[in-house]
Amino acid sequence: MSSFFSASSENSTTVPPAGSFRLQVLKMMGSILLFFITYGLLLIYAGILAAIFLWAGVSLIMFAPLHPITILSIFLFIAGLGIIFMGIMQVLFLIKFLFTRQHQDLSLRIPITRKEQPALFDCLQQIARSTKTRFPKKVYLAPGVNAAVIYPVKFLNMFWPVGKKLEIGLGLVNSLNVSEFSMAIAHEFGHFSQRSMKLASYVYTVNRMIYNMLYENQSWHKTMSWISSRWIVFALLARINLRIVSDIQKALRLMYGMVNRQYMRLRREMEFHADAVALTVAGTDAAISAMRRLEISGFFYEHCLLQLPEMARQQRRFGNIYEVHRSLIRLYASQHEIALDAHQLPLVTDNYFSSFLLSRIQLPDQWATHPSRQEREQRYMAANIRKAIKGESAWHLFQHAEELQERMSSLLSQSFIQPSAEYVPYPVENFIAETATRIKDYSMPAIFNEYYDNRPLPILPEGNITPLSDEQMATLSVSTLYAENKVQRLRAYFRDMQDADTLHAIQEGHIKTRYFEFEGKQYPVTAAGKVRAKLQSSIRQDTEWLLAHDTLAIKYHYTIIFKKDPAYAQKLLEQYHTLLEHQATCWQLNDIVARILHTISSLFSEQGLTVVSAQPYFDSLVDEGALLKKILLRLKQIPEVTTGWEKTLQEKISHFLRYNYNYINGNEPIMEEITNLHEISTTVMDQYNNCIILMKKAWLEAVL
């Protein structure tokens, strides 16, 4: 390993910032300068007002007669103090960021030292030397699929350097080989490796302080609320002060929006530059494979985290979530014909990504801080830097790796488990076996080549399906009906439908943008309607094709069965129409549940709701609950649907059907009723959707 890193160190060279990066830095500094000019003017404005308040307050206090003490003198004295205090609070609002401290949550962090992990620290030292950056002050292990260099954001940090800390996600280690891991770490070090990048670090500090000043004002507002509640005179003064501060905030927000947009553009250039630095350490091949593996790995790590609450409810836990993570990636690789290397890491090729049809619309995402994988890969290949690959898992750098994985797994589970309860370890092999079984149970027959995946069975225009002629049947087969070109056209059709909706949103102003790209060509917003009209013409053609092809496919299967057993063909036809009815009912249920969830979310997220203003939300829950009851009464009569309902769910449904929920009693929401409505609607929707998938699969298997 030392030879690998020493070679990189010897060949390392300073990577000059690109011209686009320098340009963005200059623009950023111009924006920052403009902000501080505006901020200085606001500070002068607040200072003048504070001086006026101070003069007025002192004048009132001096005017108040002290002998004898009267109600008027007390009133004037307190009013004077209040005016002075409000003037001070105005200035404090604009300078409070000087005293802000950024809290770093280390509850899911494990500090490590060179003594504990000598090989890892040797690797980090070589990367720091290659990228010409200082070694981190501290190194932590974190749970996720990422690495990051972090440091406290304080005003004083702009004037002298501060020790940076390196976080290494164990999910990242779990996903990469040694060379790819070096690429990821070198990328983070690359952000701070050279003088121009230190300037970007300075900009980041300023940007964070501006954000704190504008949007983290809880303590300031609490102080104002506390003072204004003490006396009616203070309440009146607080109102005046809040109005002045509100006007100041409007100006600051306008400036912050400009600064932040420019900062996001700079961040993209920072990412490209950090990539260029990291490429000199790890090379093009490691960079490309790292990006691809992390894209898959991140999805399955999130999937592992989503299992923790449900497992805790069942009083089970993962002993080693990273073993589960690796096993899920390998299961996915086996099901999608992705080869594994000698160290059981997936070899993600161009063919894998070519199977995905991406939107043909690209929007200028002004808030995107990271380039896309495709953009980065293009630059990696253009650099074409060849380095020797160390293919061993990145765990090769760690001592006592399994203990670290188990310790971090325990930390991740703590948020969901009860300290007094006992939890049974859930063996990885059992979880993977159950997951594989569930995937198999809900997968359509492979012979259909995913033609019927993630879509309902088609609704045919004809009332009755009739057999095809012998001449027609002679030209058809399963392989031709579900050929790859047919499946790709189907996917393109649904992609175009989504693109048409996006263009409509741009046309109506629901998506705010200066321009958009379609098929690599840039258009102004005013052209959205024209591009959409052209796209809809193609969609109409594909709609007609899809309806004709769906009809042909269904008739093909019906004809084969009809020739063997007309009675059985008629039975399958009846099942087909029953399944269509289930699909229609499920669509109704999905719409109802979506409205219920939106209403509950709005009810508990909107600020300043009163009983009167919240009443329409409760009325909506009553109306949607009535519609839900009708569907539940219908579903209760269908054994195929209710067999999956647990006893607890059935009891909640029975209670819901028996009583009229109002969801509010006087001035208080009835949380039990709202919770029951939420649980019933979401659980029944999920189970009914799954039930229909199984029905569809059974029907497709029957027609083969």
Side-chain angles (χ1 to χ4, degrees), residues 411-676:
L411 291 175
L412 284 169
S413 300
Q414 283 181 358
S415 303
F416 307 102
I417 64 177
Q418 300 294 328
S420 58
E422 293 185 3
Y423 292 83
V424 179
Y426 190 18
V428 176
E429 56 272 16
N430 291 7
F431 175 76
I432 295 300
E434 290 179 12
T435 302
T437 300
R438 187 162 57 252
I439 293 173
K440 182 179 178 182
D441 289 343
Y442 287 93
S443 297
M444 299 300 116
I447 196 172
F448 294 109
N449 198 20
E450 301 183 358
Y451 183 83
Y452 295 105
D453 286 18
N454 304 313
R455 62 181 290 237
L457 279 180
I459 301 174
L460 304 187
E462 301 178 12
N464 294 312
I465 297 177
T466 56
L468 296 173
S469 66
D470 291 340
E471 291 78 8
Q472 289 174 304
M473 291 295 291
T475 62
L476 300 175
S477 67
V478 171
S479 60
T480 57
L481 285 170
Y482 304 109
E484 185 63 28
N485 64 323
K486 304 291 197 309
V487 175
Q488 286 295 95
R489 185 171 181 179
L490 172 68
R491 292 172 178 166
Y493 168 74
F494 286 112
R495 176 204 61 192
D496 290 347
M497 293 280 285
Q498 292 180 337
D499 284 352
D501 290 340
T502 301
L503 289 168
H504 181 66
I506 295 173
Q507 185 180 4
E508 295 296 318
H510 300 311
I511 294 179
K512 304 295 183 183
T513 183
R514 294 176 289 109
Y515 63 89
F516 66 94
E517 291 183 6
F518 184 78
E519 293 185 326
K521 184 178 179 181
Q522 190 175 116
Y523 293 89
V525 172
T526 53
K530 182 178 180 181
V531 176
R532 178 170 173 255
K534 183 178 179 181
L535 185 59
Q536 284 180 319
S537 175
S538 174
I539 290 174
R540 283 191 292 270
Q541 294 178 11
D542 282 340
T543 300
E544 295 175 0
W545 166 82
L546 181 59
L547 181 59
H549 193 265
D550 282 340
T551 303
L552 185 64
I554 297 296
K555 284 188 173 183
Y556 171 82
H557 296 295
Y558 175 77
T559 303
I560 290 178
I561 298 171
F562 183 83
K563 289 183 177 181
K564 296 178 181 177
D565 188 344
Y568 185 58
Q570 182 59 33
K571 180 181 177 181
L572 289 178
L573 191 57
E574 292 172 359
Q575 291 178 358
Y576 171 77
H577 289 296
T578 300
L579 185 50
L580 294 183
E581 293 175 2
H582 277 298
Q583 289 180 169
T585 302
C586 193
W587 291 336
Q588 295 176 15
L589 176 62
N590 291 345
D591 289 341
I592 293 170
V593 174
R595 292 194 294 269
I596 289 173
L597 296 182
H598 176 72
T599 301
I600 293 175
S601 175
S602 300
L603 185 62
F604 291 101
S605 63
E606 288 191 16
Q607 301 294 323
L609 280 180
T610 63
V611 175
V612 175
S613 61
Q615 189 59 49
Y617 293 113
F618 293 110
D619 293 340
S620 176
L621 291 180
V622 171
D623 294 340
E624 299 301 336
L627 297 175
L628 179 62
K629 282 185 177 181
K630 293 180 180 179
I631 291 183
L632 290 175
L633 288 170
R634 198 186 316 167
L635 296 182
K636 283 192 71 175
Q637 309 305 315
I638 306 173
E640 298 92 337
V641 176
T642 58
T643 51
W645 291 0
E646 295 181 354
K647 184 179 179 180
T648 305
L649 176 62
Q650 293 183 11
E651 291 173 353
K652 289 181 178 180
I653 291 175
S654 298
H655 187 275
F656 175 68
L657 294 175
R658 193 179 306 119
Y659 297 98
N660 292 322
Y661 285 11
N662 293 317
Y663 309 103
I664 187 171
N665 183 15
N667 295 332
E668 296 293 329
I670 306 176
M671 293 306 301
E672 182 180 0
E673 292 183 354
I674 296 174
T675 301
N676 281 350

Side-chain angles (χ1 to χ4, degrees), residues 3 64 79 99 114 122 129 166 168 247 257 270 277 282 329 361 422 446 471 529 655:
S3 62
F99 314 102
R114 178 181 291 277
D122 286 344
R129 191 176 301 120
L166 174 64
I168 301 173
D247 291 338
M270 290 168 61
V277 172
I329 293 174
I361 298 174
E422 293 185 3
E471 291 78 8
H655 187 275

Side-chain angles (χ1 to χ4, degrees), residues 49 125 212 228 240 292-293 371 449 488 576 647 651:
L49 288 179
Q125 188 69 60
N212 289 337
S228 62
I240 297 172
R292 294 181 175 187
R293 283 175 173 170
N449 198 20
Q488 286 295 95
Y576 171 77
K647 184 179 179 180
E651 291 173 353

